[in-house]
Amino acid sequence: MTANVELVDQAAARQALITRWAERHGVDAARRLAETEDLADAVAAEITPDNTVDTYDKGWRVWARFCATTELPELEGSRGALVACVTWMLREGQLSTPFHRRVGDGRS
């Protein structure tokens, strides 16, 4: 059911974008821009490994959990929010890097 809702949302968003393009640039330009979007989608589908999509999905779930925990809006990925998310992940034990070892032992 969720996949169907997402497809409807994507189709509605695409149509709204094409409508804005038509208002700004005319119908012919909007059609050409839509064709370039189709090309971009086809290229992405062809060159993106399946595990990349899975990884993006997992990453989004982590971001959503972080935003819910910190009461930040999901769609405002500011520089500060991204840094806060990384430090949150480090504290939660979801990320281990040389940076994590430095932060964990109090060095900056």
Side-chain angles (χ1 to χ4, degrees):
M1 181 70 172
T2 302
N4 289 338
V5 171
E6 289 176 8
L7 289 176
V8 169
D9 289 346
Q10 290 173 359
R14 177 184 167 86
Q15 188 55 50
L17 181 60
I18 292 170
T19 299
R20 282 195 306 274
W21 286 337
E23 291 167 354
R24 291 180 190 159
H25 310 292
V27 173
D28 289 337
R31 181 186 47 75
R32 289 191 304 276
L33 287 165
E35 289 170 357
T36 64
E37 290 296 303
D38 293 341
L39 175 63
D41 291 342
V43 169
E46 183 66 28
I47 66 172
T48 305
D50 291 339
N51 64 339
T52 299
V53 174
D54 294 340
T55 301
Y56 290 167
D57 289 344
K58 290 174 187 173
W60 185 259
R61 286 194 300 271
V62 170
W63 173 255
R65 193 166 53 250
F66 161 75
C67 289
T69 300
T70 59
E71 298 180 351
L72 291 172
E74 284 184 17
L75 300 180
E76 292 296 331
S78 69
R79 184 174 60 113
L82 294 173
V83 170
C85 182
V86 170
T87 57
W88 175 81
M89 290 172 62
L90 292 170
R91 282 193 309 271
E92 295 293 312
Q94 296 184 27
L95 189 63
S96 180
T97 66
F99 172 76
H100 178 250
R101 288 186 285 279
R102 285 192 4 230
V103 170
D105 68 11
R107 290 185 287 155
S108 53

